[in-house]
Amino acid sequence: MSMSVSTFSQAQLQRRLHLLLLLGLSLALSVALITGRVLLTRQITFVFLLWNLFLALVPFGLSTMLGLAAGRLRLRVLLPVGAAWLLFFPNAPYILTDLFHLHPRPGVPYWYDLALILSCAWNGLMLAYASLLDIQQLVTRRLGGLAGWGFATLALLLSSFGIYLGRYLRFNSWDVLTNPISLFYDILNRLLHPRAYLGTWGVTLLYGLFLLLGYATVRLLGRMGEERS
């Protein structure tokens, strides 16, 4: 049965507010670390992470909107917004690969840069999981638990493929509109000739498995916490 804002229990709304508060504090830490580094070095080395964090917030914002408005929106509205969510979803776990930028730099302790990038990567991962949980619950209410986990698994595998497209081929979510021919050609080429692009499928499967195991662990920990309470 669909659930609207008015049918959310007080406990559910309270948990949502607590989540928003924790995510807000965690994001504030990342922003503070980036700002502190700029002030310390007078360089904008990691300022690009602010944009990456913003992109990671987009799918979370869309999933929150869908979760709260599911009781009022019709399927013809849910589907395009859900498609937009799936398009932007890889931007959240993508920040994990920004660890590639970590190496000693003069003027800043190595541990500071490690904490900075880990903070941003953590936020990207948590935003991804929180967003996926919202969408999985929508799918589960409409199609059942098995379909919900099937969708979550597929979404994480597709996001891993999106991570590859972004990190190695330098495509962005909006290239679907601004550069569709090149994007379609590169995807089709890898689908038709998988043996020629083993790195593509290595990244997709390995990162997808990692993200799925992490997501399942977070879900299990959450259920254990609810049972104890």
Side-chain angles (χ1 to χ4, degrees):
M1 181 178 65
S2 296
M3 186 179 296
S4 64
V5 176
S6 60
T7 60
F8 276 144
S9 68
Q10 184 176 359
Q12 287 174 315
L13 289 174
Q14 190 175 40
R15 284 196 294 269
R16 171 66 62 170
L17 290 175
H18 288 167
L19 175 63
L20 292 175
L21 176 61
L22 285 174
L23 288 174
L25 289 173
S26 188
L27 287 166
L29 174 61
S30 295
V31 173
L33 288 171
I34 295 171
T35 303
R37 195 185 195 286
V38 171
L39 294 176
L40 181 64
T41 64
R42 298 295 190 270
Q43 297 176 348
I44 59 172
T45 304
F46 289 124
V47 171
F48 71 90
L49 288 171
L50 294 176
W51 174 247
N52 288 356
L53 288 172
F54 170 77
L55 291 177
L57 279 166
V58 173
F60 178 72
L62 291 174
S63 67
T64 299
M65 181 189 72
L66 287 176
L68 294 177
R72 296 192 300 265
L73 293 177
R74 295 183 179 275
L75 194 62
R76 64 174 180 267
V77 177
L78 289 173
L79 287 179
V81 177
W85 173 86
L86 188 60
L87 183 64
F88 280 91
F89 179 64
N91 291 305
Y94 173 86
I95 305 179
L96 291 172
T97 66
D98 284 322
L99 285 164
F100 287 176
H101 297 290
L102 182 65
H103 57 82
R105 291 179 170 87
V108 177
Y110 188 60
W111 55 262
Y112 186 95
D113 281 348
L114 175 62
L116 187 156
I117 298 179
L118 282 177
S119 171
C120 294
W122 170 262
N123 283 321
L125 187 61
M126 290 301 101
L127 287 169
Y129 285 167
S131 179
L132 181 58
L133 177 59
D134 285 337
I135 302 299
Q136 183 183 358
Q137 288 176 340
L138 284 177
V139 174
T140 298
R141 285 199 294 269
R142 290 177 177 271
L143 302 175
L146 184 61
W149 274 105
F151 173 84
T153 301
L154 180 61
L156 290 173
L157 286 173
L158 289 175
S159 73
S160 297
F161 185 66
I163 288 172
Y164 174 85
L165 293 177
R167 173 56 63 188
Y168 293 100
L169 302 187
R170 309 310 299 169
F171 284 113
N172 298 300
S173 298
W174 47 88
D175 282 317
V176 171
L177 298 176
T178 61
N179 192 19
I181 296 178
S182 295
L183 177 61
F184 176 77
Y185 174 80
D186 283 334
I187 292 176
L188 183 63
N189 202 26
R190 281 158 176 77
L191 291 174
L192 295 178
H193 308 286
R195 292 187 180 181
Y197 299 97
L198 294 179
T200 301
W201 306 114
V203 170
T204 299
L205 294 176
L206 185 58
Y207 278 64
L209 179 61
F210 168 76
L211 292 173
L212 179 59
L213 289 174
Y215 180 65
T217 302
V218 169
R219 291 293 308 272
L220 181 59
L221 288 173
R223 289 178 181 176
M224 291 174 61
E226 291 177 358
E227 291 174 357
R228 291 176 182 176
S229 62

